[in-house]
Amino acid sequence: MKSDWDVVGYVVSSKYRIVVLERLIESPAPPSTIAEDASCSVSHISRALQELRNRGLTHLLVPESRKKGRIYGVTDKGNQVWETIVSEKLA
């Protein structure tokens, strides 16, 4: 399945969205770990996670009701978008 270029453009227009998606491709993680790995603030990472989640690129791996210890992963769509970003050298 080919990536939607609108979504690819949306991801690459923010360094935080790129950082989050790239990190989650490696393995699922909570926002605090992503922020620590990327030397970014948790608030920037949390916002990027929510934006990516709204586009169907990431998802929660724990119940929605959990406020602490949230673990995020990448969806199939997120994997496809990341493959396009890498193959086209956009990040």
Side-chain angles (χ1 to χ4, degrees), residues 16 19-20 29-51 67-70 72:
Y16 299 111
V19 161
V20 167
S32 59
T33 299
I34 300 167
E36 187 177 308
D37 291 350
S39 300
C40 297
S41 73
V42 175
S43 62
H44 282 107
I45 297 305
S46 293
R47 185 179 311 114
L49 277 165
Q50 189 59 49
E51 292 165 350
K67 297 301 177 198
K68 297 271 187 189
R70 288 182 155 207
Y72 288 84

Side-chain angles (χ1 to χ4, degrees), residues 1-65:
M1 182 177 176
K2 200 100 166 107
S3 287
D4 177 346
W5 283 101
D6 181 50
V7 176
V8 170
Y10 178 76
V11 172
V12 300
S13 69
S14 164
K15 74 175 187 175
Y16 299 111
R17 289 190 288 260
I18 291 170
V19 161
V20 167
L21 198 55
E22 182 175 28
R23 173 56 184 81
L24 290 179
I25 290 293
E26 295 172 19
S27 65
S32 59
T33 299
I34 300 167
E36 187 177 308
D37 291 350
S39 300
C40 297
S41 73
V42 175
S43 62
H44 282 107
I45 297 305
S46 293
R47 185 179 311 114
L49 277 165
Q50 189 59 49
E51 292 165 350
L52 292 169
R53 192 169 167 215
N54 290 343
R55 295 282 181 129
L57 305 177
T58 63
H59 60 111
L60 264 176
L61 300 175
V62 298
E64 182 77 34
S65 59

Side-chain angles (χ1 to χ4, degrees), residues 61-90:
L61 300 175
V62 298
E64 182 77 34
S65 59
R66 177 177 270 181
K67 297 301 177 198
K68 297 271 187 189
R70 288 182 155 207
I71 309 291
Y72 288 84
V74 178
T75 62
D76 289 341
K77 181 179 178 182
N79 274 308
Q80 292 165 357
V81 167
W82 185 251
E83 286 174 17
T84 300
I85 290 169
V86 170
S87 69
E88 299 294 331
K89 298 176 177 63
L90 299 172

